[in-house]
Amino acid sequence: MAICTVHTTPSLSMPNTHLNQRQVIFFTSARKNQFFRGQNRAFTVSCSADAKTVVIGLAADSGCGKSTFMRRLTSVFGGAAEPPKGGNPDSNTLISDTTTVICLDDYHSLDRTGRKEKGVTALDPKANDFDLMYEQVKALKEGKAVDKPIYNHVTGLLDPPEVIQPPKILVIEGLHPMFDERVRDLLDFSIYLDISNEVKFAWKIQRDMAERGHSLESIKASIEARKPDFDAFIDPQKKYADAVIEVLPTQLIPGDNEGKVLRVRLIQKEGLKHFSPVYLFDEGSTISWIPCGRKLTCSYPGIKFTYGPETYFSNEVSVLEMDGQFDRLDELIYVESHLSNLSSKFYGEVTQQMLKHSDFPGSNNGTGLFQTIIGLKIRDLYEQIVAERAAATAQAAKV
Amino acid sequence: MAASLSSMTTLSAPRPVRLLNISNPYSSPSHVRLLPCTASRYTRLVVRSTPSEIANKVSESIKNAEETCADDPKAGECVAAWDEVEELSAAASHARDKNKGKDPLEEYCKDNPETDECRTYED
């Protein structure tokens, strides 16, 4: 993507000091410019090749809501994200007008048979090609197209590569976006979805119980078997994330183990350049807020918010927490009107986005709310970065 | 109406027929299909079914994992087998979600926009 400006150059023979950028010079013939008394007018279109892609990383275990998050995120930017047209139907990539989402499973170095032979899971770094991941993300960030391999989840094989054009916003989602240090440095913003064990179990039951062959024992065995690798390789990434969405069982219902009502914490890193954390009432103070009362009636178990500064893996963070669920539209709009620093473009934007996708899982609790808010924050981050680069280019052009 | 939609595995709850989708105040469909069969989204209860190919794979992989782990639950092969089960279950879930959105009428109209059922009227 390039930002281009058109301006007239008085004469082509005059030395242009900013010709280090790629420029296109249109030279119109004298006949067309009779009005200019035969003077040859030249128009220079200069494009800065520096407008690089913004890269976002999203890490989570399988079955933890990455796809839902992706759909919400691409919806905030506008346009529906779809698999590349005319390509492999089992492609994991999603492309919309502004965003391209790449699934990091495509960088598996071992396919399913290979992993079975070696006895490693997909969570193990040995099964992934981090060099290729780094190379390709770097190339896309610099504005070059790449040939990305495709990992077919149905067959478990590595399919022939597909061409990915550099987008305005590149999202890499998977198990290891922040594992490799080089890839981590390329990320402009990173998110980790931290689902607690009880909630993960409840979600996987919901997902798999209808599946023929699955039983409670098999689901449990599957989670237990993957846990050592998960704790060793995936979980440590959360200390590098700029935002962590932590999902825990509710504290409002004593002894609840259904996992329907959730307590969700949005842990936001402080001191980042383009990211200002969402807060409640007063930034930096500790607040506990139950919106249900005289102005708002909620049904059981209600909603409870907390906000405050904390330390997370020796980083300064601000944590916004929501426990409970939304039952009605006015609860949502009431809550939105009391949150600050949402980076929304108009009053009610968060509510509108939530309503747009009311059939997505998590639309009535903190998971959907915080995912939507993070989506708006990423949009704000993107716009800040683009404005910064445009200002830098304008500065360079003036010189 | 029921006959033409009998191929869909959906149950629509009895509700007065609406021509306009006004359930979501923020969506603005500028054109409507005047076919009353397309009732609003929220009245449909969809029975989600996994495509049989993936469903078979899932059940096979579970059997395989249980066999492999019968010998040694801590071995690499056992762990890899359960990981495969997880991967296939995720793929099955995604396939179900993809199929959930498919509306037979919309699919038909994509290919045959000139037929009577597919005429659209701009507001």
Side-chain angles (χ1 to χ4, degrees), chain A residues 302-379:
Chain A
I303 306 171
K304 177 164 183 236
F305 273 89
T306 347
Y307 165 76
E310 281 180 28
T311 318
Y312 188 74
F313 291 104
S314 63
N315 292 321
E316 288 294 312
V317 296
S318 297
V319 181
L320 176 65
E321 178 184 315
M322 171 179 163
D323 197 350
Q325 50 189 29
F326 299 113
D327 279 313
R328 296 193 322 275
L329 171 64
D330 46 345
E331 290 170 17
L332 191 44
I333 196 85
Y334 190 83
V335 162
E336 183 182 348
S337 59
H338 287 84
L339 288 169
S340 313
N341 236 348
L342 283 172
S343 303
S344 54
K345 295 229 160 113
F346 52 86
Y347 174 72
E349 189 175 15
V350 175
T351 307
Q352 189 199 59
Q353 283 292 329
M354 296 272 283
L355 276 183
K356 207 157 102 168
H357 303 295
S358 50
D359 53 334
F360 285 3
S363 295
N364 65 342
N365 59 37
T367 48
L369 176 67
F370 293 150
Q371 286 176 1
T372 310
I373 292 177
I374 290 285
L376 297 181
K377 286 279 164 206
I378 291 179
R379 181 183 64 188

Coordinates of all heavy atoms in Angstrom, one line a residue, chain A residues 302-379:
Chain A
G302 N -26.9 -10.9 37.4 CA -26.5 -9.5 37.3 C -25.1 -9.3 36.7 O -24.6 -10.2 36.1
I303 N -24.6 -8.1 36.9 CA -23.3 -7.8 36.3 C -22.5 -7.1 37.3 O -23.0 -6.3 38.1 CB -23.5 -6.8 35.1 CG1 -24.5 -7.3 34.1 CG2 -22.2 -6.5 34.4 CD1 -24.9 -6.3 33.0
K304 N -21.2 -7.4 37.3 CA -20.3 -6.7 38.3 C -19.0 -6.4 37.5 O -18.4 -7.2 36.8 CB -20.0 -7.6 39.4 CG -19.0 -7.0 40.4 CD -19.0 -7.8 41.7 CE -18.1 -7.1 42.7 NZ -17.1 -8.0 43.2
F305 N -18.6 -5.1 37.7 CA -17.4 -4.7 37.0 C -16.3 -4.3 38.0 O -16.6 -3.8 39.1 CB -17.6 -3.4 36.2 CG -18.1 -3.7 34.8 CD1 -19.4 -3.9 34.5 CD2 -17.2 -3.8 33.7 CE1 -19.9 -4.1 33.2 CE2 -17.6 -4.1 32.5 CZ -18.9 -4.3 32.2
T306 N -15.1 -4.6 37.7 CA -14.0 -4.1 38.5 C -12.9 -3.5 37.6 O -12.8 -3.9 36.5 CB -13.3 -5.2 39.3 OG1 -14.1 -6.4 39.3 CG2 -13.0 -4.8 40.7
Y307 N -12.2 -2.5 38.1 CA -11.1 -1.9 37.4 C -10.0 -1.6 38.3 O -10.3 -1.1 39.4 CB -11.6 -0.7 36.6 CG -10.5 0.1 36.0 CD1 -9.8 -0.3 34.9 CD2 -10.1 1.3 36.7 CE1 -8.7 0.5 34.4 CE2 -9.0 2.1 36.2 CZ -8.4 1.7 35.1 OH -7.3 2.4 34.6
G308 N -8.8 -1.8 37.9 CA -7.7 -1.3 38.8 C -6.4 -1.6 38.2 O -6.2 -2.4 37.2
P309 N -5.3 -1.0 38.7 CA -4.0 -1.3 38.3 C -3.4 -2.5 39.0 O -3.8 -2.7 40.2 CB -3.2 0.0 38.7 CG -3.9 0.6 39.9 CD -5.4 0.1 39.8
E310 N -2.6 -3.3 38.3 CA -2.1 -4.5 38.8 C -0.7 -4.7 38.2 O -0.3 -4.0 37.3 CB -2.9 -5.7 38.5 CG -4.2 -5.8 39.4 CD -5.0 -7.1 39.0 OE1 -4.4 -8.1 38.5 OE2 -6.2 -7.0 39.2
T311 N 0.0 -5.8 38.7 CA 1.2 -6.2 38.1 C 1.0 -7.6 37.5 O 0.5 -8.4 38.2 CB 2.4 -6.2 39.1 OG1 2.2 -5.1 40.0 CG2 3.7 -6.2 38.5
Y312 N 1.4 -7.8 36.3 CA 1.3 -9.0 35.6 C 2.6 -9.5 35.1 O 3.1 -8.8 34.1 CB 0.2 -8.9 34.5 CG -0.3 -10.1 33.8 CD1 -1.1 -11.0 34.4 CD2 0.1 -10.4 32.5 CE1 -1.6 -12.1 33.8 CE2 -0.4 -11.5 31.8 CZ -1.2 -12.4 32.5 OH -1.7 -13.5 31.8
F313 N 3.2 -10.5 35.6 CA 4.5 -11.0 35.1 C 5.5 -9.8 35.1 O 6.1 -9.6 34.1 CB 4.4 -11.6 33.8 CG 3.7 -12.9 33.8 CD1 2.4 -13.0 33.3 CD2 4.3 -14.1 34.3 CE1 1.7 -14.2 33.3 CE2 3.6 -15.3 34.3 CZ 2.3 -15.4 33.8
S314 N 5.5 -9.1 36.2 CA 6.4 -7.9 36.3 C 6.2 -6.8 35.3 O 7.1 -6.0 35.0 CB 7.9 -8.3 36.4 OG 8.3 -8.9 35.2
N315 N 5.0 -6.7 34.7 CA 4.6 -5.6 33.8 C 3.5 -4.8 34.5 O 2.7 -5.4 35.2 CB 4.1 -6.0 32.5 CG 5.2 -6.7 31.6 OD1 6.3 -6.3 31.6 ND2 4.8 -7.8 30.9
E316 N 3.5 -3.5 34.3 CA 2.4 -2.6 34.8 C 1.3 -2.8 33.9 O 1.4 -2.6 32.7 CB 2.9 -1.2 34.8 CG 3.9 -0.8 35.8 CD 3.4 -0.9 37.2 OE1 2.3 -0.4 37.5 OE2 4.1 -1.5 38.0
V317 N 0.1 -3.2 34.5 CA -1.1 -3.4 33.7 C -2.3 -2.7 34.3 O -2.3 -2.5 35.5 CB -1.4 -4.9 33.4 CG1 -0.3 -5.6 32.7 CG2 -1.7 -5.6 34.7
S318 N -3.3 -2.5 33.5 CA -4.6 -2.1 34.0 C -5.6 -3.2 33.7 O -5.7 -3.7 32.6 CB -5.1 -0.8 33.4 OG -4.2 0.2 33.6
V319 N -6.4 -3.6 34.7 CA -7.3 -4.8 34.5 C -8.7 -4.3 34.6 O -9.1 -3.7 35.6 CB -7.0 -5.9 35.5 CG1 -7.9 -7.0 35.3 CG2 -5.6 -6.3 35.5
L320 N -9.5 -4.6 33.5 CA -10.9 -4.3 33.6 C -11.6 -5.6 33.6 O -11.3 -6.5 32.7 CB -11.3 -3.5 32.3 CG -12.8 -3.2 32.2 CD1 -13.3 -2.3 33.3 CD2 -13.1 -2.6 30.8
E321 N -12.5 -5.9 34.6 CA -13.0 -7.2 34.7 C -14.6 -7.1 34.7 O -15.2 -6.2 35.2 CB -12.6 -7.7 36.1 CG -13.2 -9.1 36.4 CD -12.7 -9.5 37.8 OE1 -11.5 -9.4 38.1 OE2 -13.6 -10.0 38.6
M322 N -15.2 -8.1 34.0 CA -16.6 -8.1 34.0 C -17.1 -9.5 34.4 O -16.6 -10.5 33.8 CB -17.2 -7.8 32.6 CG -18.7 -8.1 32.5 SD -19.4 -7.7 31.0 CE -20.9 -8.6 31.1
D323 N -18.0 -9.6 35.4 CA -18.5 -10.8 35.8 C -20.0 -10.8 35.6 O -20.7 -9.9 36.0 CB -18.2 -11.1 37.3 CG -18.3 -12.5 37.7 OD1 -18.9 -13.3 36.9 OD2 -17.9 -12.8 38.8
G324 N -20.6 -11.8 34.9 CA -22.0 -11.8 34.7 C -22.3 -11.8 33.2 O -21.5 -12.0 32.4
Q325 N -23.6 -11.6 32.9 CA -24.0 -11.5 31.5 C -25.0 -10.4 31.2 O -25.8 -10.1 32.1 CB -24.4 -12.8 31.0 CG -25.4 -13.6 31.8 CD -25.6 -15.0 31.3 OE1 -24.7 -15.6 30.8 NE2 -26.8 -15.5 31.4
F326 N -25.1 -10.0 30.0 CA -26.1 -9.0 29.5 C -27.3 -9.8 29.1 O -27.2 -10.8 28.4 CB -25.5 -8.3 28.3 CG -24.3 -7.5 28.5 CD1 -23.1 -7.9 27.9 CD2 -24.3 -6.4 29.3 CE1 -22.0 -7.1 28.1 CE2 -23.1 -5.6 29.5 CZ -22.0 -6.0 28.9
D327 N -28.4 -9.3 29.5 CA -29.7 -9.9 29.0 C -30.4 -9.0 28.0 O -31.1 -9.5 27.2 CB -30.6 -10.2 30.2 CG -30.3 -11.5 30.9 OD1 -30.0 -12.4 30.2 OD2 -30.2 -11.5 32.1
R328 N -30.2 -7.7 28.2 CA -30.9 -6.8 27.3 C -30.0 -5.7 26.7 O -28.9 -5.4 27.2 CB -32.0 -6.1 28.2 CG -33.1 -7.0 28.7 CD -34.3 -6.2 29.2 NE -33.9 -5.0 29.9 CZ -33.5 -4.9 31.2 NH1 -33.4 -6.0 31.9 NH2 -33.2 -3.7 31.7
L329 N -30.5 -5.2 25.7 CA -29.8 -4.2 25.0 C -29.4 -3.0 25.8 O -28.3 -2.4 25.8 CB -30.6 -3.7 23.8 CG -30.2 -2.5 23.0 CD1 -28.9 -2.7 22.4 CD2 -31.2 -2.1 22.0
D330 N -30.4 -2.6 26.7 CA -30.1 -1.3 27.5 C -29.0 -1.5 28.5 O -28.4 -0.6 28.9 CB -31.4 -0.7 28.1 CG -32.3 -1.7 28.7 OD1 -32.1 -2.9 28.5 OD2 -33.2 -1.3 29.4
E331 N -28.9 -2.8 29.0 CA -27.7 -3.0 29.9 C -26.4 -2.8 29.2 O -25.5 -2.1 29.8 CB -27.8 -4.5 30.4 CG -28.9 -4.8 31.3 CD -29.0 -6.3 31.6 OE1 -28.0 -7.1 31.3 OE2 -30.1 -6.8 32.0
L332 N -26.4 -3.2 28.0 CA -25.1 -3.0 27.2 C -24.8 -1.6 26.9 O -23.7 -1.1 27.1 CB -25.3 -3.8 25.9 CG -24.2 -4.0 25.0 CD1 -22.9 -4.5 25.7 CD2 -24.5 -5.1 23.9
I333 N -25.8 -0.8 26.5 CA -25.6 0.6 26.2 C -25.3 1.4 27.5 O -24.5 2.3 27.5 CB -26.8 1.2 25.4 CG1 -26.4 2.5 24.7 CG2 -28.0 1.4 26.3 CD1 -25.7 2.3 23.4
Y334 N -25.9 1.0 28.6 CA -25.6 1.6 29.9 C -24.2 1.4 30.3 O -23.5 2.4 30.7 CB -26.6 1.0 31.0 CG -26.6 1.8 32.3 CD1 -27.3 2.9 32.4 CD2 -25.8 1.3 33.3 CE1 -27.4 3.6 33.7 CE2 -25.8 2.0 34.6 CZ -26.6 3.1 34.7 OH -26.6 3.7 35.9
V335 N -23.7 0.2 30.2 CA -22.3 -0.1 30.5 C -21.4 0.7 29.6 O -20.4 1.2 30.0 CB -22.1 -1.6 30.4 CG1 -20.6 -2.0 30.3 CG2 -22.7 -2.3 31.6
E336 N -21.7 0.7 28.3 CA -20.8 1.3 27.3 C -20.7 2.8 27.6 O -19.6 3.4 27.5 CB -21.3 1.1 25.9 CG -20.4 1.8 24.9 CD -20.9 1.7 23.5 OE1 -21.8 0.9 23.2 OE2 -20.3 2.3 22.6
S337 N -21.8 3.4 28.1 CA -21.7 4.9 28.3 C -20.9 5.2 29.5 O -20.5 6.3 29.7 CB -23.2 5.4 28.5 OG -23.8 4.8 29.6
H338 N -20.6 4.2 30.4 CA -19.8 4.5 31.5 C -18.3 4.1 31.4 O -17.5 4.5 32.2 CB -20.4 3.8 32.8 CG -21.6 4.5 33.3 ND1 -22.8 4.2 32.7 CD2 -21.8 5.4 34.2 CE1 -23.8 4.9 33.3 NE2 -23.2 5.7 34.2
L339 N -18.0 3.4 30.3 CA -16.6 3.1 30.1 C -15.9 4.2 29.3 O -16.5 4.9 28.5 CB -16.5 1.8 29.2 CG -16.8 0.5 30.0 CD1 -17.0 -0.6 28.9 CD2 -15.8 0.1 31.0
S340 N -14.6 4.4 29.6 CA -13.9 5.5 29.0 C -12.7 5.0 28.2 O -12.2 3.9 28.4 CB -13.3 6.5 30.0 OG -14.3 6.8 30.9
N341 N -12.3 5.8 27.2 CA -11.2 5.4 26.3 C -11.5 4.2 25.5 O -10.6 3.4 25.2 CB -9.9 5.1 27.2 CG -8.8 5.9 26.8 OD1 -8.8 6.6 25.8 ND2 -7.8 5.9 27.7
L342 N -12.7 4.1 25.0 CA -13.1 3.0 24.2 C -12.5 3.1 22.7 O -12.6 2.1 22.0 CB -14.6 2.8 24.1 CG -15.2 2.3 25.4 CD1 -16.8 2.4 25.2 CD2 -14.9 0.8 25.5
S343 N -12.1 4.2 22.3 CA -11.7 4.5 20.9 C -12.9 4.2 19.9 O -12.6 3.8 18.8 CB -10.5 3.6 20.5 OG -9.4 3.8 21.3
S344 N -14.1 4.4 20.4 CA -15.2 4.2 19.4 C -15.4 5.5 18.7 O -15.1 6.6 19.2 CB -16.5 3.9 20.2 OG -16.7 4.8 21.2
K345 N -16.0 5.4 17.5 CA -16.1 6.6 16.7 C -17.4 7.4 17.0 O -17.6 8.5 16.6 CB -16.1 6.3 15.2 CG -14.7 5.7 14.8 CD -14.2 6.3 13.5 CE -12.7 6.1 13.4 NZ -12.3 5.3 12.3
F346 N -18.4 6.7 17.6 CA -19.6 7.3 17.9 C -20.2 6.6 19.1 O -19.9 5.5 19.4 CB -20.6 7.3 16.7 CG -20.8 6.0 16.1 CD1 -21.8 5.1 16.6 CD2 -20.1 5.6 15.0 CE1 -22.0 3.8 16.1 CE2 -20.3 4.3 14.5 CZ -21.2 3.5 15.0
Y347 N -21.1 7.3 19.8 CA -21.8 6.7 21.0 C -22.6 5.5 20.6 O -23.4 5.5 19.7 CB -22.7 7.8 21.6 CG -23.5 7.3 22.7 CD1 -22.9 7.0 23.9 CD2 -24.9 7.1 22.6 CE1 -23.7 6.6 25.0 CE2 -25.7 6.7 23.6 CZ -25.1 6.5 24.8 OH -25.8 6.1 25.9
G348 N -22.3 4.4 21.2 CA -23.1 3.2 20.9 C -22.4 2.3 19.9 O -23.0 1.3 19.5
E349 N -21.2 2.6 19.5 CA -20.5 1.7 18.5 C -20.3 0.3 19.0 O -20.5 -0.7 18.3 CB -19.2 2.3 18.0 CG -18.7 1.6 16.8 CD -17.5 2.2 16.2 OE1 -16.8 3.0 16.9 OE2 -17.1 1.8 15.1
V350 N -19.9 0.2 20.3 CA -19.6 -1.1 20.8 C -20.9 -1.9 20.9 O -20.9 -3.1 20.5 CB -19.0 -1.0 22.3 CG1 -18.9 -2.4 22.9 CG2 -17.7 -0.3 22.3
T351 N -22.0 -1.3 21.3 CA -23.3 -2.0 21.3 C -23.7 -2.4 19.9 O -24.2 -3.5 19.7 CB -24.3 -1.1 21.9 OG1 -23.9 -0.6 23.2 CG2 -25.6 -1.8 22.1
Q352 N -23.5 -1.5 19.0 CA -23.9 -1.9 17.6 C -23.1 -3.1 17.1 O -23.7 -4.0 16.5 CB -23.6 -0.7 16.7 CG -24.2 -0.8 15.3 CD -23.6 0.1 14.3 OE1 -22.4 0.1 14.1 NE2 -24.4 0.9 13.7
Q353 N -21.8 -3.1 17.4 CA -21.0 -4.2 16.9 C -21.4 -5.5 17.6 O -21.5 -6.6 17.0 CB -19.5 -4.0 17.2 CG -18.8 -3.0 16.3 CD -18.7 -3.6 14.9 OE1 -18.6 -4.8 14.7 NE2 -18.7 -2.7 13.9
M354 N -21.7 -5.4 18.9 CA -22.2 -6.6 19.6 C -23.5 -7.1 19.0 O -23.7 -8.3 18.9 CB -22.4 -6.3 21.1 CG -21.1 -5.9 21.8 SD -20.2 -7.3 22.4 CE -21.2 -7.7 23.9
L355 N -24.4 -6.2 18.7 CA -25.7 -6.6 18.2 C -25.6 -7.2 16.8 O -26.3 -8.1 16.4 CB -26.6 -5.4 18.1 CG -27.3 -5.0 19.3 CD1 -28.2 -3.8 19.0 CD2 -28.2 -6.2 19.9
K356 N -24.6 -6.7 16.0 CA -24.4 -7.2 14.7 C -24.1 -8.6 14.7 O -24.5 -9.4 13.8 CB -23.3 -6.4 14.0 CG -23.3 -6.3 12.6 CD -22.5 -5.1 12.1 CE -21.2 -5.5 11.5 NZ -20.5 -4.5 10.8
H357 N -23.4 -9.1 15.7 CA -23.0 -10.5 15.8 C -23.6 -11.1 17.0 O -22.9 -11.9 17.7 CB -21.5 -10.6 15.8 CG -20.9 -9.9 14.7 ND1 -21.0 -10.3 13.4 CD2 -20.1 -8.8 14.6 CE1 -20.4 -9.5 12.6 NE2 -19.8 -8.6 13.3
S358 N -24.9 -10.9 17.3 CA -25.5 -11.5 18.5 C -25.6 -13.0 18.4 O -25.8 -13.6 19.5 CB -26.9 -10.9 18.7 OG -27.6 -11.0 17.5
D359 N -25.4 -13.6 17.3 CA -25.4 -15.1 17.2 C -24.0 -15.7 17.5 O -23.9 -16.9 17.6 CB -25.9 -15.6 15.9 CG -25.1 -14.9 14.7 OD1 -24.6 -13.8 14.9 OD2 -25.1 -15.6 13.7
F360 N -23.0 -14.9 17.6 CA -21.7 -15.4 18.0 C -21.6 -15.8 19.4 O -22.3 -15.2 20.2 CB -20.6 -14.3 17.8 CG -20.2 -14.0 16.3 CD1 -20.9 -14.6 15.3 CD2 -19.2 -13.1 16.1 CE1 -20.5 -14.3 14.0 CE2 -18.9 -12.8 14.8 CZ -19.5 -13.4 13.7
P361 N -20.9 -16.8 19.7 CA -20.7 -17.2 21.1 C -20.1 -16.1 21.9 O -19.2 -15.4 21.4 CB -19.8 -18.4 21.1 CG -19.3 -18.5 19.8 CD -20.1 -17.8 18.8
G362 N -20.5 -15.9 23.2 CA -19.9 -14.8 24.0 C -20.5 -13.5 23.8 O -20.0 -12.5 24.3
S363 N -21.6 -13.4 23.0 CA -22.2 -12.0 22.7 C -22.9 -11.5 23.9 O -23.2 -10.3 23.9 CB -23.1 -12.1 21.6 OG -22.5 -12.5 20.4
N364 N -23.1 -12.2 24.9 CA -23.9 -11.7 26.1 C -23.0 -11.6 27.3 O -23.5 -11.3 28.4 CB -25.1 -12.6 26.4 CG -24.7 -14.0 26.8 OD1 -23.5 -14.4 26.6 ND2 -25.6 -14.7 27.5
N365 N -21.7 -11.7 27.2 CA -20.8 -11.6 28.3 C -19.5 -10.9 28.0 O -19.4 -10.4 26.9 CB -20.6 -13.0 29.0 CG -19.9 -13.9 28.0 OD1 -19.0 -13.6 27.2 ND2 -20.3 -15.2 28.1
G366 N -18.6 -10.9 28.9 CA -17.4 -10.1 28.8 C -16.5 -10.6 27.6 O -15.8 -9.8 27.1
T367 N -16.6 -11.8 27.2 CA -15.7 -12.2 26.1 C -16.1 -11.4 24.8 O -15.2 -10.9 24.2 CB -15.9 -13.8 25.7 OG1 -17.2 -14.1 25.6 CG2 -15.2 -14.6 26.8
G368 N -17.3 -11.4 24.5 CA -17.7 -10.6 23.3 C -17.4 -9.1 23.5 O -16.9 -8.5 22.6
L369 N -17.8 -8.6 24.7 CA -17.5 -7.2 24.9 C -16.1 -6.8 24.8 O -15.7 -5.9 24.1 CB -18.0 -6.8 26.3 CG -17.8 -5.4 26.8 CD1 -18.7 -4.5 26.0 CD2 -18.2 -5.2 28.3
F370 N -15.2 -7.6 25.4 CA -13.8 -7.2 25.4 C -13.2 -7.5 24.0 O -12.3 -6.7 23.6 CB -13.0 -7.9 26.5 CG -13.4 -7.5 27.9 CD1 -13.3 -8.3 29.0 CD2 -13.8 -6.2 28.1 CE1 -13.7 -7.9 30.2 CE2 -14.2 -5.8 29.4 CZ -14.1 -6.6 30.4
Q371 N -13.6 -8.5 23.3 CA -13.1 -8.7 22.0 C -13.5 -7.6 21.1 O -12.7 -7.1 20.3 CB -13.7 -10.0 21.4 CG -13.1 -11.3 22.0 CD -13.7 -12.5 21.5 OE1 -14.6 -12.5 20.7 NE2 -13.2 -13.7 22.0
T372 N -14.7 -7.1 21.2 CA -15.1 -5.9 20.4 C -14.3 -4.7 20.8 O -13.9 -4.0 19.9 CB -16.6 -5.6 20.6 OG1 -17.4 -6.8 20.5 CG2 -17.1 -4.6 19.7
I373 N -14.1 -4.5 22.1 CA -13.3 -3.3 22.5 C -11.9 -3.4 22.0 O -11.3 -2.4 21.5 CB -13.3 -3.2 24.0 CG1 -14.7 -2.8 24.5 CG2 -12.4 -2.1 24.5 CD1 -14.9 -2.7 26.0
I374 N -11.3 -4.6 22.0 CA -9.9 -4.7 21.5 C -9.9 -4.5 20.0 O -9.0 -3.9 19.5 CB -9.4 -6.1 21.8 CG1 -9.1 -6.3 23.3 CG2 -8.1 -6.4 21.0 CD1 -7.9 -5.5 23.8
G375 N -11.0 -4.9 19.3 CA -11.1 -4.6 17.9 C -11.1 -3.1 17.6 O -10.4 -2.6 16.7
L376 N -11.8 -2.3 18.4 CA -11.8 -0.9 18.2 C -10.4 -0.3 18.6 O -10.0 0.6 17.9 CB -12.9 -0.2 19.1 CG -14.3 -0.6 18.9 CD1 -15.2 0.2 19.8 CD2 -14.7 -0.3 17.5
K377 N -9.8 -0.9 19.6 CA -8.4 -0.4 20.0 C -7.4 -0.7 18.8 O -6.6 0.2 18.6 CB -8.0 -1.1 21.2 CG -8.7 -0.7 22.5 CD -8.0 0.5 23.0 CE -8.7 1.3 23.9 NZ -8.3 2.7 23.9
I378 N -7.6 -1.8 18.2 CA -6.7 -2.1 17.1 C -6.9 -1.2 15.9 O -5.9 -0.7 15.3 CB -6.8 -3.6 16.7 CG1 -6.3 -4.5 17.8 CG2 -6.1 -3.9 15.4 CD1 -6.4 -6.0 17.5
R379 N -8.2 -0.8 15.7 CA -8.4 0.1 14.6 C -7.8 1.4 14.9 O -7.2 2.1 14.1 CB -10.0 0.3 14.5 CG -10.3 1.2 13.4 CD -11.8 1.4 13.3 NE -12.4 2.1 14.5 CZ -13.7 2.2 14.7 NH1 -14.5 1.8 13.8 NH2 -14.1 2.8 15.8

